Amino acid sequence: MKIDPDKCVACGNCVAVCPMGAIHIDPEVGRAVVDQDECVECFACYRGMSKEHLNPVMVRAIRKTARLFRFRFDPEPDICPTDAIVPQDLAWPRIVRRAFSDPQVPHESTGIHGRGTAEVKTNDVTARVNEGEAGFVVEFGRPGVGTRFRDIERVTAALAELGVEFETNNPVTSLMRDPSRGLLRGDILGEKILSAIVEIKTKLEQVPAVLRRIKDLGREVDTVISVGVSTRCDTEGNDSLRGMLEREGYAAYRGKTNLGLGRVTVRNEA
Amino acid sequence: MTNTLHRYSEHYALEPAPNPAPVRDDYIVFAMASRGINDDDLVEKYRGFLHLALKHKPVNIGDATKGGALRPRQDMNPTAHWRRGHQPDPEQVIAGIEGHTTVAAVFDNYAAMEAFVEELKAADLGISVNISAPMAEAERCCRDAGIVRHSVEYSLGFRGRVDKLPDAKTLELSTMCGHGMLSADFVRKMVDWVKENRRTPAEAARYMARFCTCGVFNVSRAERIIRKACALQR
């Protein structure tokens, strides 16, 4: 993302809305600028702010006059008055930043918006995770910290050593050069993104060991990791995961419950 | 997309209080179809889902590809600084659905969520429906509605460089946009503005909601948290 210096009036509204804190007002030029290394191309500033399309010369003159008399105008905090925020053309490898940061761009590998994963949300029709199995969603960078792929690789390589199975239909897996060793493409390792989710599947009894390994790996990375664990319930609707998590000391307070109301309705002509 | 999984509350504090207060005003019901499995008449199913939701007065609804009932506008004019409309527009959400997405309805009370789930069961839309809420409440809802849970997914909170996370109140607010579009800096700025009496808690909550591109931000819970953060009685 860039900010057009001809349009920017240095109102500062975009500074606070950037989830990565990548925007600041440069006192040398009196304009907002984006730190390109920290920007994850999430489009929160471009899409999240309302726009007024005012004349920048007029707005600067008003602001200058007000500042002279130390008047404080109390504008709406989520408006870019001159439409100064401009998306830029993204080439490889920078383009992966947007794919993993802007939730309104579908991932090419899955076609799903957001982080590109369906987890157990559609498990009632896809049967990705069955009874006796556990699905993990290990998310990096959220909330509001961001991550680089080199940190993700550190964890995926360690998880691969445990013999876990990476979900094939997942955006991070699609960027692996060697899924058996959890290794990612070398040209993306330095790219910063808002968040990415690694999905793995294990036997239910492996849950404690995997959780302990992830906890240990958390000490080796320069970002936050949030973990979700799922399973399929039995015919009575009971799950054997909660007790296991509580024994491991996890709160397991909140989560998602798939109601099982989905059914196959598309007739496969083939 | 785990956009509603890791909504922070005291239960996930690194040093949790002995008896954290239950969250009783944040229930999300969302629907998702799968390509080639149950995505026939997709738009009608999603619209049907949201129309049913509106009967139970959700505090927000959303389409993950277009946004929620409160959205930024591209055609503002300077009068907005004095006379800005903060009314949600749920019909815009429903009319804007075009294809594959996730649709969601957010409720601030159990009874509304449970009544909605009962209607969904009767409507038999054929798409996957999930509740994102405290697990015990979701389980109770299934029991009350005569539904056998199919699958569950638990949030286990945060690990790693948790020293980089903001304070607990900011996290409670910012994680209500699970995609991270709502910045911690903006949340702090809005809370400060409420403290300075420059905006009301309701206005601050609505500014925040506009950054959530899925419409799962709970403005009602946000108002409560902001009041608490500002120690406001007004």
Side-chain angles (χ1 to χ4, degrees):
Chain A
M1 196 61 65
K2 285 194 170 171
I3 294 173
D4 184 345
D6 293 332
K7 288 186 175 179
C8 178
V9 295
C11 70
N13 273 355
C14 57
V15 173
V17 307
C18 175
M20 292 291 101
I23 306 177
H24 71 280
I25 306 290
D26 184 345
E28 296 292 318
V29 292
R31 302 283 189 271
V33 291
V34 180
D35 180 337
Q36 292 300 318
D37 189 45
E38 289 298 314
C39 172
V40 293
E41 306 291 352
C42 69
F43 278 53
C45 55
Y46 178 74
R47 191 185 302 112
M49 298 183 80
S50 295
K51 298 182 176 74
E52 281 180 314
H53 311 280
L54 299 180
N55 182 315
V57 176
M58 178 192 74
V59 177
R60 283 191 203 110
I62 293 170
R63 287 175 55 82
K64 208 169 178 179
T65 308
R67 192 166 55 202
L68 192 67
F69 294 100
R70 289 191 173 251
F71 287 160
R72 187 176 73 174
F73 174 50
D74 202 15
E76 290 289 269
D78 60 337
I79 289 179
C80 176
T82 53
D83 192 14
I85 302 167
V86 188
Q88 53 187 334
D89 290 334
L90 301 173
W92 185 269
R94 190 174 177 89
I95 199 166
V96 297
R97 294 187 181 222
R98 188 172 182 201
F100 282 86
S101 305
D102 179 354
Q104 296 205 333
V105 174
H107 281 271
E108 280 182 22
S109 58
T110 62
I112 298 174
H113 293 74
R115 306 296 176 247
T117 59
E119 315 150 49
V120 294
K121 291 182 290 195
T122 54
N123 204 38
D124 49 351
V125 292
T126 59
R128 293 173 98 186
V129 180
N130 293 303
E131 269 188 76
E133 293 179 334
F136 287 79
V137 281
V138 185
E139 182 163 10
F140 299 80
R142 189 175 66 166
V145 175
T147 186
R148 296 193 191 256
F149 280 101
R150 70 171 73 92
D151 271 328
I152 298 171
E153 186 185 58
R154 198 166 292 168
V155 175
T156 52
L159 290 174
E161 287 173 9
L162 286 180
V164 303
E165 182 187 332
F166 291 104
E167 164 66 39
T168 316
N169 199 24
N170 169 280
V172 176
T173 311
S174 73
L175 292 173
M176 285 184 182
R177 60 188 160 93
D178 184 351
S180 67
R181 292 194 292 156
L183 300 179
L184 298 171
R185 291 176 57 134
D187 54 354
I188 61 164
L189 294 180
E191 294 299 324
K192 184 172 182 178
I193 55 174
L194 196 65
S195 120
I197 295 176
V198 172
E199 284 179 280
I200 55 176
K201 198 162 79 170
T202 67
K203 296 290 180 196
L204 204 55
E205 58 267 23
Q206 287 178 275
V207 167
V210 173
L211 286 177
R212 283 176 212 144
R213 188 74 185 105
I214 292 171
K215 199 172 178 179
D216 289 342
L217 290 164
R219 299 189 187 100
E220 299 174 21
V221 294
D222 190 30
T223 186
V224 284
I225 300 176
S226 43
V227 181
V229 194
S230 62
T231 193
R232 181 174 177 168
C233 301
D234 65 19
T235 51
E236 304 288 308
N238 301 313
D239 79 90
S240 44
L241 188 54
R242 181 187 292 183
M244 193 178 279
L245 296 173
E246 286 173 349
R247 280 193 295 279
E248 288 296 307
Y250 290 95
Y253 176 70
R254 193 183 173 94
K256 290 176 185 168
T257 301
N258 184 320
L259 304 186
L261 299 181
R263 57 191 160 77
V264 178
T265 57
V266 175
R267 193 181 302 276
N268 190 342
E269 300 299 335
Chain B
M1 183 167 63
T2 63
N3 62 329
T4 63
L5 185 60
H6 301 296
R7 283 160 102 92
Y8 183 84
S9 66
E10 280 183 314
H11 305 82
Y12 291 102
L14 290 176
E15 292 176 19
N19 292 303
V23 179
R24 296 204 192 282
D25 57 359
D26 195 21
Y27 305 94
I28 303 156
V29 183
F30 64 87
M32 190 176 187
S34 296
R35 284 174 200 275
I37 295 177
N38 54 4
D39 59 351
D40 52 325
D41 300 325
L42 180 71
V43 173
E44 287 69 29
K45 287 175 181 176
Y46 282 151
R47 286 182 177 158
F49 175 93
L50 290 179
H51 276 302
L52 283 178
L54 289 185
K55 290 164 63 178
H56 303 281
K57 298 186 170 44
V59 294
N60 201 354
I61 64 169
D63 161 2
T65 62
K66 298 278 182 63
L70 284 154
R71 295 180 183 183
R73 290 182 55 172
Q74 306 304 306
D75 58 346
M76 302 289 280
N77 67 62
T79 61
H81 294 289
W82 292 272
R83 302 175 61 181
R84 181 140 179 212
H86 283 290
Q87 287 305 309
D89 186 355
E91 291 301 333
Q92 180 190 20
V93 178
I94 296 171
I97 296 170
E98 290 178 320
H100 275 281
T101 183
T102 305
V103 290
V106 186
F107 299 94
D108 65 357
N109 66 88
Y110 174 85
M113 172 194 58
E114 201 271 325
F116 176 45
V117 167
E118 279 196 22
E119 279 213 51
L120 280 176
K121 183 187 171 197
D124 191 23
L125 296 171
I127 48 181
S128 299
V129 175
N130 293 254
I131 294 173
S132 182
M135 294 303 282
E137 298 282 278
E139 194 172 3
R140 179 182 149 210
C141 177
C142 289
R143 218 171 29 243
D144 290 350
I147 290 170
V148 177
R149 299 186 306 168
H150 183 280
S151 306
V152 289
E153 180 174 30
Y154 292 93
S155 167
L156 304 185
F158 306 116
R159 291 286 175 273
R161 291 292 306 274
V162 290
D163 55 302
K164 292 189 171 192
L165 294 174
D167 62 281
K169 285 284 168 273
T170 302
L171 261 185
E172 273 192 88
L173 291 162
S174 66
T175 55
M176 282 201 283
C177 169
H179 282 123
M181 294 290 102
L182 175 57
S183 93
D185 286 342
F186 189 72
V187 168
R188 280 190 288 258
K189 178 176 172 178
M190 288 300 93
V191 171
D192 283 346
W193 277 29
V194 174
K195 282 182 184 168
E196 294 168 13
N197 198 26
R198 294 165 70 178
R199 293 294 188 277
T200 66
E203 287 169 335
R206 280 152 185 77
Y207 291 128
M208 294 179 198
R210 291 193 183 93
F211 285 90
C212 171
T213 54
C214 295
V216 295
F217 188 86
N218 183 333
V219 286
S220 178
R221 182 183 177 206
E223 276 186 54
R224 175 178 63 77
I225 296 167
I226 294 167
R227 283 178 199 282
K228 197 173 171 187
C230 300
L232 287 178
Q233 300 305 315
R234 62 190 160 93

